[in-house]
Amino acid sequence: MHPDTATALQEAICHVLANYINETDFEVITDFHLHLDADTGILSIFDDNDMLLGSVTVEEWIDVDGDEYVTIVAHQLSAVLRQMADAHKFDNLNIAKPFNFVLEDDQHETIEELYIVDDDNIYITGDLLAGIDQELDQFLGHLMEE
């Protein structure tokens, strides 16, 4: 991912989240819905009520096809959200936790849950478990040899 892309995505998400810092009451939001228009490269962020909260144009995502949608876009968005969580960008929001960032298609069907924000639980996602079967098989094979 180009560094400018990561910066633009973080700025757009931070701009949306800024609306939830100074609120006096906790908002109940279960998901932030992210929609990509692959023809224009515009990533739009919506709340649970389909209200547009913000958008950003990502040049490198223009004309991304269906196969790349999950492998490239979802992976890059997940990485940006993890970086933001590591930088504590989700800590001081007046949003009841847990809440999710979800990548959806044009019909509002979930393609992938990108990141779950929750103070009390740790969620294990596919990236963390990728290849675990092979690693366990190698480990057990090594133990059996000894």
Side-chain angles (χ1 to χ4, degrees):
M1 175 178 0
H2 193 276
D4 291 341
T5 298
T7 300
L9 289 169
Q10 285 187 20
E11 287 175 356
I13 295 167
C14 283
H15 178 72
V16 166
L17 296 178
N19 296 321
Y20 300 99
I21 292 174
N22 296 323
E23 297 287 326
T24 56
D25 295 325
F26 273 94
E27 293 285 328
V28 177
I29 294 178
T30 58
D31 296 316
F32 286 99
H33 306 270
L34 289 79
H35 299 267
L36 175 64
D37 181 342
D39 294 332
T40 62
I42 296 175
L43 180 73
S44 301
I45 305 169
F46 295 89
D47 67 7
D48 290 325
N49 298 318
D50 289 330
M51 182 164 60
L52 179 64
L53 302 173
S55 63
V56 61
T57 301
V58 180
E59 297 289 329
E60 66 185 84
W61 291 349
I62 295 174
D63 294 327
V64 66
D65 70 21
D67 294 335
E68 294 176 323
Y69 204 85
V70 174
T71 57
I72 294 174
V73 174
H75 178 73
Q76 290 179 350
L77 281 169
S78 292
V80 165
L81 291 166
R82 279 192 302 273
Q83 289 173 352
M84 292 178 71
D86 291 344
H88 304 283
K89 299 289 184 182
F90 306 131
D91 290 356
N92 297 319
L93 301 175
N94 288 335
I95 301 174
K97 294 176 183 168
F99 62 91
N100 302 321
F101 288 89
V102 179
L103 183 63
E104 296 181 343
D105 63 15
D106 294 334
Q107 289 77 39
H108 300 282
E109 297 292 326
T110 298
I111 295 172
E112 186 168 328
E113 286 188 3
L114 301 169
Y115 193 81
I116 301 169
V117 178
D118 191 351
D119 290 337
D120 299 328
N121 298 307
I122 297 172
Y123 296 91
I124 299 174
T125 62
D127 288 347
L128 183 61
L129 295 176
I132 191 125
D133 290 340
Q134 293 173 344
E135 290 178 22
L136 285 173
D137 289 344
Q138 289 173 353
F139 174 73
L140 291 174
H142 180 71
L143 284 177
M144 298 300 285
E145 289 173 3
E146 294 179 0

